[in-house]
Amino acid sequence: MKNQNGTFKDWANANVSRQIEDTVLYGYYTLYSVILFCVFFWIPFVYFYYEEKDDDDTSKCTQIKTALKYTLGFAVICALLLLVGAFVPLNVPNNKNSTEWEKVKFLFEELGSSHGLAALSFSISSLTLIGMLAAITYTAYGMSALPLNLIKGTRSAAYERLENTEDIEEVEQHIQTIKSKSKDGRPLPARDKRALKQFEERLRTLKKRERHLEFIENSWWTKFCGALRPLKIVWGIFFILVALLFVISLFLSNLDKALHSAGIDSGFIIFGANLSNPLNMLLPLLQTVFPLDYILITIIIMYFIFTSMAGIRNIGIWFFWIRLYKIRRGRTRPQALLFLCMILLLIVLHTSYMIYSLAPQYVMYGSQNYLIETNVTSDNRKGNSTLFVPKRCDADAPEDQCTVTRTYLFLHKFWFFSAAYYFGNWAFLGVFLIGLIVSCCKGKKSVIEGVDEDSDISDDEPSVYSV
């Protein structure tokens, strides 16, 4: 709606700009409502439906009833979040001597004036907070694990087969030694029986590994991935450079908030960027050439998705110290896939604030400028003259000169969420550094990593694992 010199375009009058803002706002209402529906209704219903499906004697009708019963609990949580967000008093009545009824009336008037923005913002911010925890756990680790795994590659299938064969021979010797003790008919001691059982279980696992290693060593996919090895190294180097760019930008942005923000009570809002970071400078420049900024934002989001999936696949899905599910190619349970979709949905939701942390100027105002008065001393004329020069929009700009983006309103409606996101960014940086150290110290992954742990892997023809 504005020219680069800071003036509004001819068609951008107050009514038109208000209509555009409302259209964008209603678009966010629709998209965020779809997210709430998926998180609190659709995904819980399908999850509990599949949980009941595990029982063979359960009928379809019983499955649906049970799933609806548990989904009702999530619907109640969603309703509570909307109610709390709708009636949290962001403003206080001007009259301190007002009665309780006047205070309640003020809350309803505030709800009507905001068109439900606070209610939806509180619900989405609550989910974004959960997404922040998922991003700290999975995305931060995946940003270091994914590129280093691509660079290091996996171990040789032929070498692993040789090691596995030696282990099989060693275990068989132990079994023979224990069984030889009972050749004269004497029963084995309890300790030898336990040891024999453990060795036999170990032998079954090793033979299962042998079948998988043989299949992978002879598969065409292994040979194809071997030919792509140089390309994987290039991608790994590219991803680690992108990760360092994000980390440096996030660190500078958080440091700027720590040094120059208005404090925790304001959600660490910055009045103008004092420490510039690469992305905060690049995105407003790209916005002037449509659609370069959208392309970069899409790349950033896809990068977060890929690194998050890498982190989830490496770590698995946990509930505190309890491992719920593992993500494995061709062998993941439906419930685990639903959990994966839920986690990725929440992480993408948190990406909105992550992009704000990386480029606060772009998210708040984009490439908008406004005019400020400056006094210029002329050599030809005595005295000063007034000159209007364009300046980049920031938090100090007049409200009628700079339009704040609708997404920023959603992100910063409640200061305590913004404060939590700020501290979460520091935790994100810490987990990334820890993950980087761990990934550097770990050796190459096995071509069949996870087979030793997976007791439910069938003995049929193995699927091709990532190599």
Side-chain angles (χ1 to χ4, degrees), residues 199-348:
F199 280 125
E200 289 176 344
E201 183 66 30
R202 176 65 177 160
L203 183 61
R204 282 194 294 270
T205 302
L206 290 172
K207 287 183 176 179
K208 187 187 297 183
R209 281 177 56 89
E210 179 70 20
R211 288 191 295 272
H212 282 271
L213 286 169
E214 182 181 3
F215 176 79
I216 290 176
E217 185 181 7
N218 299 324
S219 75
W220 63 269
W221 178 253
T222 306
K223 297 178 177 61
F224 178 73
C225 289
L228 294 180
R229 184 82 188 94
L231 186 60
K232 285 187 175 184
I233 295 175
V234 172
W235 276 110
I237 295 173
F238 172 75
F239 280 146
I240 198 67
L241 292 176
V242 173
L244 291 176
L245 173 64
F246 285 166
V247 168
I248 291 171
S249 298
L250 188 60
F251 174 76
L252 290 174
S253 178
N254 252 32
L255 185 62
D256 193 8
K257 291 179 182 179
L259 297 177
H260 305 106
S261 70
I264 190 172
D265 293 340
S266 66
F268 294 98
I269 186 174
I270 298 179
F271 296 102
N274 300 280
L275 298 177
S276 297
N277 65 70
L279 286 175
N280 196 33
M281 294 186 293
L282 180 60
L283 279 169
L285 291 176
L286 293 180
Q287 193 186 29
T288 58
V289 182
F290 179 83
L292 293 182
D293 60 326
Y294 292 139
I295 293 174
L296 182 57
I297 289 294
T298 303
I299 292 173
I300 292 173
I301 294 174
M302 294 305 298
Y303 176 78
F304 280 132
I305 291 175
F306 285 133
T307 53
S308 300
M309 292 182 69
I312 294 172
R313 184 171 182 180
N314 279 276
I315 299 174
I317 298 174
W318 293 72
F319 182 75
F320 293 101
W321 59 88
I322 302 172
R323 183 180 230 170
L324 299 179
Y325 301 105
K326 288 177 285 188
I327 306 299
R328 301 163 301 176
R329 177 177 297 180
R331 304 181 188 278
T332 307
R333 298 181 63 190
Q335 293 92 326
L337 290 176
L338 288 169
F339 259 106
L340 176 63
C341 292
M342 175 83 80
I343 292 171
L344 290 177
L345 187 63
L346 296 175
I347 288 175
V348 171

Side-chain angles (χ1 to χ4, degrees), residues 410-423:
F410 272 100
L411 293 173
H412 293 82
K413 193 70 176 176
F414 301 92
W415 65 267
F416 42 85
F417 283 119
S418 300
Y421 301 149
Y422 166 78
F423 292 112

Side-chain angles (χ1 to χ4, degrees), residues 5 370-378 383-392:
N5 60 6
Y370 71 102
L371 297 176
I372 59 171
E373 293 184 9
T374 57
N375 293 324
V376 179
T377 303
S378 177
N384 297 333
S385 60
T386 301
L387 182 67
F388 290 92
V389 296
K391 181 185 177 183
R392 188 73 76 185

Side-chain angles (χ1 to χ4, degrees), residues 421-459:
Y421 301 149
Y422 166 78
F423 292 112
N425 285 340
W426 286 117
F428 185 93
L429 293 173
V431 172
F432 171 80
L433 292 177
I434 294 173
L436 188 63
I437 296 172
V438 171
S439 299
C440 289
C441 295
K442 287 176 66 177
K444 291 184 178 182
K445 294 173 61 177
S446 169
V447 291
I448 54 170
E449 184 169 353
V451 172
D452 291 340
E453 307 167 354
D454 297 342
S455 58
D456 58 336
I457 289 184
S458 67
D459 292 332

Side-chain angles (χ1 to χ4, degrees), residues 351-409:
T351 304
S352 299
Y353 187 82
M354 184 65 74
I355 294 175
Y356 166 74
S357 300
L358 295 170
Q361 171 66 35
Y362 172 78
V363 173
M364 282 187 70
Y365 296 104
S367 59
Q368 294 181 78
N369 295 321
Y370 71 102
L371 297 176
I372 59 171
E373 293 184 9
T374 57
N375 293 324
V376 179
T377 303
S378 177
D379 295 334
N380 299 330
R381 301 176 183 176
K382 294 182 179 181
N384 297 333
S385 60
T386 301
L387 182 67
F388 290 92
V389 296
K391 181 185 177 183
R392 188 73 76 185
C393 286
D394 54 25
D396 292 328
E399 292 184 6
D400 60 339
Q401 291 296 317
C402 294
T403 305
V404 180
T405 60
R406 302 302 93 183
T407 183
Y408 180 80
L409 295 180

Side-chain angles (χ1 to χ4, degrees), residues 160-177:
E160 283 200 67
R161 278 194 71 188
L162 180 61
E163 286 185 338
N164 195 72
T165 302
E166 294 175 355
D167 292 338
I168 289 175
E169 293 175 355
E170 183 180 349
V171 171
E172 286 177 342
Q173 288 179 1
H174 284 296
I175 292 175
Q176 277 304 118
T177 303

